[in-house]
Structures are given as structure tokens and as C-alpha cells.
Amino acid sequence: MIGVHALLMAAFLLTGMSAGAQDDPTVMTIAGHPVHRSELEYSYNRNYPQGSVDKKGLKDFVPLFIDYKLKIQAALDARLDTLPSFRRLVTDFGTGEKTSSSSRNTDDVERETLRTYNSIRQRIDDNGGIVKVAQILIPLGQRASDMQQRTAKMLADSIYVALKNGASFADLARRFSGDSASAFNGGDLPWIAKGQMLSEFEDAAWNLPVGEISHPVLSPLGYHIILLRAKRSFLPYDSVKSDLARFEEASHLRGQLIDHQLADTVIETGKTSGDLKESAEAPADKDLQYQRQAYHDGLLLSEMRNRVIGNQTLNNEKNLAEYFKENKKKYRWSQPRFKGIVCYVKDEKEVGQVKRCLKNKPFEDWEQILAQTFNVGSDAQVRFEKGIFRRGENAAIDRKIFKDNVPVQTMKGYPYEVVYGKKMKKGPETYTDVRTLVIADYQDDLEKQWVETLHKKYPVTINEKVLAKIYQHHN
């Protein structure tokens, strides 16, 4: 099943602009491999197409391009392109029918684009259409202990109750969701079709009335709370025509690669994209060559970066803590925040007990402590929201901590509120208070260090005369 999001991602990944073929000298040599003017210009145009708001000048782009090529060379030297999983991805590049000509007229492209659209539309609409959803994910590892499972369930239930009592879905998603990409957008996901998500997620999402929120749904990833924003048949042809055309062109490229037996060459010999580009059997159209190369190298770089940077960061809490300690000043806040918890309590007699059971206990353990103390069994005595709050994010905190005169809506069935924690004026106390920012900054530093080692390892020679002509042409 081709989902809408996967389709558009493929289209944007493979989009590009034609490279000139008349004057194509070598502009630089990286690790012994020549880079032609057409490749540099193609990469520049692909990354910064005409009209880009954040478009860089070519002079600013060249160092980034060199770093990119060095990373690809490191991945090739690590022989990541010989992994079976990588070979399968390269082989699966596009699925369109082959044509005999490397260039087609407008009618050919329009006909193939419309055929692709009708095929996708029919399959998606016959399978329930597409939905626009938001989610809050409470992650749960496959080896989670019984206590971790109960704690995750209690947190998911607490969030669900808060939502049903009027809490903002976007606010809770940003605060609690383990899906960082959607959490940044308040939990919102792009339009999706069946086959893109886990079956447990899809069964719940497609059975929700528009505007309704699901009970926590358990999947191999954890607990999902899903809000169905909209549901419809596949998008109109005119709204996706240009993206589908690019996707169809990528499929056509795949057909040409099969014609020339280049895909088999990748699988059987493990030749690099540069080797294939210079093959006598390669297609003559450089635009097609570089589209394939961009796809190949993009997959390669993603795998290499995960190995060099991603895995080191996510599994190294000690390094994150040390990095935060060395760079603590950069994480100072301009306005104070509150690190704590808001508890909604059924029985007034338990208000004081809530504070007593949390006193002198680690912040990270509060949810588990409350769950074990008050929420054993099906009748939860306490619901709670825990985190680091800015002014304006929680009315109870605004009133009790920041002393703002704001109305507070009580949670149905839980008439008593407990706000417990501390007001932090200067900034976070530990790296866990700003973990996402620390990880991002730490990864940036690791990448800079990696690039420095690559520059020392691989020689880079630039033909300054050719490069000056290219700069002049693009001014």
C-alpha cells in the first residue's frame, strides 16, 4: 500500500533539476574521486530549488557539499552499501513501468501521472480513505518490567482523563509524547493511509468519530492516545499532481536502471554510485544519474550517521550529563519555570499524603510512586500532570506558583488539587530537564568532530579556476 506521506516523501526526496552536460569539468577531487561541475550544481539546485526562503549562496553551499561527500566516502569505506538491508532498499527504488526512451513528452508524463493517481486513489479509498490524526505516545519498551508497564498505563490513563476534562491535546502532546517529531507539532501527524502505521493504531484511528479521542491503545511501541481530526477520500488530483509527476519520474528512472542492469550490478558487485555513474552502460541523462545517486547516498548517509552519532548519543547518559555540565550557561531561561507535578485528588484526606510520599524522592520516580500508592487496582484516586512548566501552560500552576489571577477548571471527580515541586529561576538543574535540547546540541558537536576527522583522513583538492567560473555563473 502506498500511503500519502510515503508518496510525498519519496517525491520530495527524488526531486531535482537538470544538470548541464555541455561544459562539465572536474571541479574538485574528494578521496581520489572526481566531482564534476554538473554534480555540484545538481546538488545545489536539489537542496535549494528556485524560490527557497532559506536559500544559501553557492559559496556557502560548497563546504557543506564537501562535508556530505566525505561522509558518503566514510560509509562506502565501512562497506555499508554491501549490507543486505541496504541492497534491498536500492533495489526497491521505484516500481513504475519501463519505457523505451530516456525522455518523454508532456503527454506521456501526464498519462502516466494520471494512471498512477487513479491506481493509488482506488486502493486507498477502497481501504477506508485517509485520516488526519494527532497522537500522544507513551513509549514502552518490549522488555519493560511489570512495574514499567503499570506506570505507563497509569500515565496514559491520567492523560486520557485530563483530555476528557478539557485539557489541551497539543499541550499534553508536547509535554508527554514520546514521538518527538509529532510532539513538536502538538501531536499532529500528516494525512495517513492504511498500511503506514501499526495495525493496533489503525484499527483505533479508523473507527473513531471525527473529533473524538481514543482510550489508550496498546501497540508494540507503547500506549497511543489518538485524536481523529478529519477523515476523507484520497486527495484531489490537482492537489498532488506535481508531486505524483516527480514520483512517476523516479519510477521511470528505476525502469531505466533495470534496462541497463545497473540495479543488478549494485546487488552483485557492491559498486559505488560513482562507479556506476561512470559505467559505459549508465544512462546518458545526468539528471537521471544524479537522482539515483541522491537516493542511494541519502540512504547510505542516514545509516552511517546513526552508527557514528545517533547510537552514541541515545545510549550514553554519562556523556550527556557531562556535556550539560560543561555548557550549562547556554540553557539558562529568560523566565522562571516550575519543575513539579499537579495532582488531582478524589479525597481531601489524601491531599497531605500526596506531598508526604513525594518529599525527598527523585523527580523521575514521582509518577511510579503515585501509581503504587494511590492507583493500585481499577479505581484511581489521583490523576496527575508532571513536567517543567512555563507560565501559561497550566492554570493551577499559574495561580499557585506564578501568582496569576486566572480561573482553574477542576477535573470531574477529582475536586482537590495539589501542586508540588520547585520554582527554578535561572535555568535547569540537570540535563534531564532539557534532555531534547542537550541531545540535539551534543549530536551537533559529535558531527563537527566527525567531519574534522574526515577532513584529516581524506584529501580534498579543489580546482579554483573552475569553481570561480561556477560562482560567476550563479551570481
Side-chain angles (χ1 to χ4, degrees):
M1 170 61 66
I2 299 176
V4 179
H5 184 54
L7 172 68
L8 296 182
M9 285 299 292
F12 284 120
L13 177 64
L14 298 168
T15 186
M17 299 180 68
S18 295
Q22 298 300 317
D23 181 19
D24 201 16
T26 297
V27 65
M28 63 184 70
T29 302
I30 298 177
H33 301 290
V35 176
H36 297 284
R37 171 176 179 164
S38 60
E39 181 180 357
L40 175 63
E41 292 182 319
Y42 173 87
S43 183
Y44 175 66
N45 290 329
R46 182 172 66 88
N47 283 278
Y48 301 103
Q50 190 170 2
S52 294
V53 175
D54 60 345
K55 187 168 185 174
K56 288 181 178 293
L58 186 58
K59 285 188 177 181
D60 294 327
F61 174 74
V62 166
L64 301 177
F65 176 78
I66 293 172
D67 292 348
Y68 170 78
K69 296 293 287 186
L70 290 173
K71 294 171 189 175
I72 297 301
Q73 187 60 48
L76 292 171
D77 285 352
R79 299 190 62 78
L80 298 187
D81 57 332
T82 67
L83 296 175
S85 58
F86 179 81
R87 292 174 173 181
R88 282 194 296 271
L89 288 172
V90 173
T91 304
D92 289 341
F93 173 35
T95 56
E97 298 178 358
K98 295 177 284 182
T99 61
S100 59
S101 172
S102 63
S103 60
R104 296 167 294 166
N105 60 38
T106 304
D107 291 340
D108 290 333
V109 174
E110 177 74 19
R111 182 168 55 253
E112 291 300 312
T113 301
L114 185 58
R115 180 192 63 78
T116 302
Y117 170 80
N118 286 330
S119 174
I120 294 171
R121 178 185 56 78
Q122 182 176 350
R123 281 183 286 169
I124 288 179
D125 288 351
D126 288 349
N127 206 19
I130 56 178
V131 296
K132 188 77 170 65
V133 299
Q135 76 154 338
I136 298 172
L137 172 64
I138 307 303
L140 192 60
Q142 294 185 1
R143 298 182 179 179
S145 66
D146 290 343
M147 178 56 68
Q148 288 172 325
Q149 293 179 42
R150 287 196 297 271
T151 301
K153 180 64 164 63
M154 291 296 182
L155 176 58
D157 287 342
S158 295
I159 293 172
Y160 175 75
V161 170
L163 291 170
K164 297 303 285 186
N165 283 278
S168 165
F169 195 99
D171 287 348
L172 293 184
R174 293 187 185 98
R175 195 175 307 156
F176 292 108
S177 183
D179 178 12
S180 57
S182 65
F184 182 80
N185 295 315
D188 281 339
L189 296 170
W191 286 98
I192 57 174
K194 283 187 178 178
Q196 291 180 252
M197 309 293 285
L198 294 166
S199 59
E200 296 88 350
F201 183 99
E202 293 181 353
D203 290 343
W206 263 262
N207 284 296
L208 277 174
V210 174
E212 289 294 316
I213 297 171
S214 74
H215 287 276
V217 176
L218 181 61
S219 83
L221 295 179
Y223 286 97
H224 307 259
I225 301 171
I226 305 165
L227 166 62
L228 180 62
R229 296 198 183 278
K231 186 176 182 180
R232 57 163 298 155
S233 57
F234 190 53
L235 302 169
Y237 178 63
D238 287 345
S239 68
V240 295
K241 177 180 175 181
S242 60
D243 295 319
L244 284 167
R246 288 194 288 269
F247 176 76
E248 198 281 320
E249 280 297 320
S251 298
H252 171 63
L253 168 61
R254 169 61 180 161
Q256 288 202 327
L257 293 178
I258 294 174
D259 280 344
H260 292 274
Q261 299 180 336
L262 291 178
D264 289 340
T265 304
V266 172
I267 299 302
E268 297 300 326
T269 70
K271 283 188 177 181
T272 69
S273 56
D275 295 330
L276 294 175
K277 184 177 69 174
E278 306 232 350
S279 168
E281 294 183 281
D285 191 325
K286 279 188 166 56
D287 189 38
L288 296 178
Q289 294 173 18
Y290 293 145
Q291 281 186 23
R292 177 188 55 76
Q293 184 176 337
Y295 178 81
H296 173 281
D297 291 353
L299 294 173
L300 204 57
L301 178 57
S302 177
E303 177 63 26
M304 188 65 181
R305 194 176 187 278
N306 282 338
R307 292 180 176 225
V308 174
I309 296 171
N311 293 339
Q312 288 187 44
T313 307
L314 298 178
N315 298 320
N316 203 325
E317 303 297 320
K318 180 181 178 182
N319 283 1
L320 291 174
E322 290 177 354
Y323 181 85
F324 172 77
K325 185 178 180 180
E326 293 170 359
N327 299 275
K328 194 171 182 178
K329 290 183 179 179
K330 71 188 292 187
Y331 300 106
R332 286 182 177 174
W333 297 323
S334 58
Q335 297 293 330
R337 301 188 188 184
F338 176 71
K339 180 180 181 179
I341 196 165
V342 181
C343 299
Y344 306 94
V345 185
K346 273 189 176 183
D347 193 333
E348 185 178 10
K349 288 186 264 186
E350 294 177 332
V351 169
Q353 189 180 353
V354 167
K355 292 183 178 181
R356 285 193 295 273
C357 75
L358 297 179
K359 188 177 181 180
N360 298 324
K361 299 297 192 300
F363 179 73
E364 293 76 16
D365 296 341
W366 286 3
E367 293 153 311
Q368 183 175 331
I369 291 169
L370 289 173
Q372 289 177 321
T373 307
F374 298 101
N375 295 343
V376 178
S378 58
D379 186 21
Q381 298 299 306
V382 175
R383 302 294 185 186
F384 47 82
E385 296 178 46
K386 170 176 162 274
I388 298 177
F389 301 84
R390 297 184 183 91
R391 175 183 261 113
E393 290 187 334
N394 183 284
I397 292 172
D398 288 347
R399 185 180 61 186
K400 294 187 178 183
I401 303 300
F402 296 116
K403 308 303 180 183
D404 294 336
N405 185 19
V406 295
V408 177
Q409 182 180 359
T410 60
M411 184 178 291
K412 185 178 179 181
Y414 297 83
Y416 304 100
E417 286 178 356
V418 178
V419 178
Y420 184 78
K422 64 165 61 174
K423 187 176 180 180
M424 297 189 295
K425 296 181 178 180
K426 295 183 178 180
E429 296 177 319
T430 72
Y431 87 93
T432 57
D433 295 339
V434 282
R435 193 173 194 274
T436 301
L437 293 176
V438 172
I439 287 176
D441 291 342
Y442 183 52
Q443 287 184 337
D444 284 345
D445 276 10
L446 286 178
E447 184 144 15
K448 289 176 184 176
Q449 294 170 24
W450 180 36
V451 169
E452 287 177 4
T453 64
L454 296 179
H455 275 275
K456 294 176 181 177
K457 181 177 181 180
Y458 299 113
V460 177
T461 304
I462 298 176
N463 189 327
E464 298 291 353
K465 290 184 178 179
V466 173
L467 191 58
K469 290 182 180 179
I470 300 175
Y471 288 156
Q472 186 178 9
H473 176 75
H474 283 267
N475 283 338

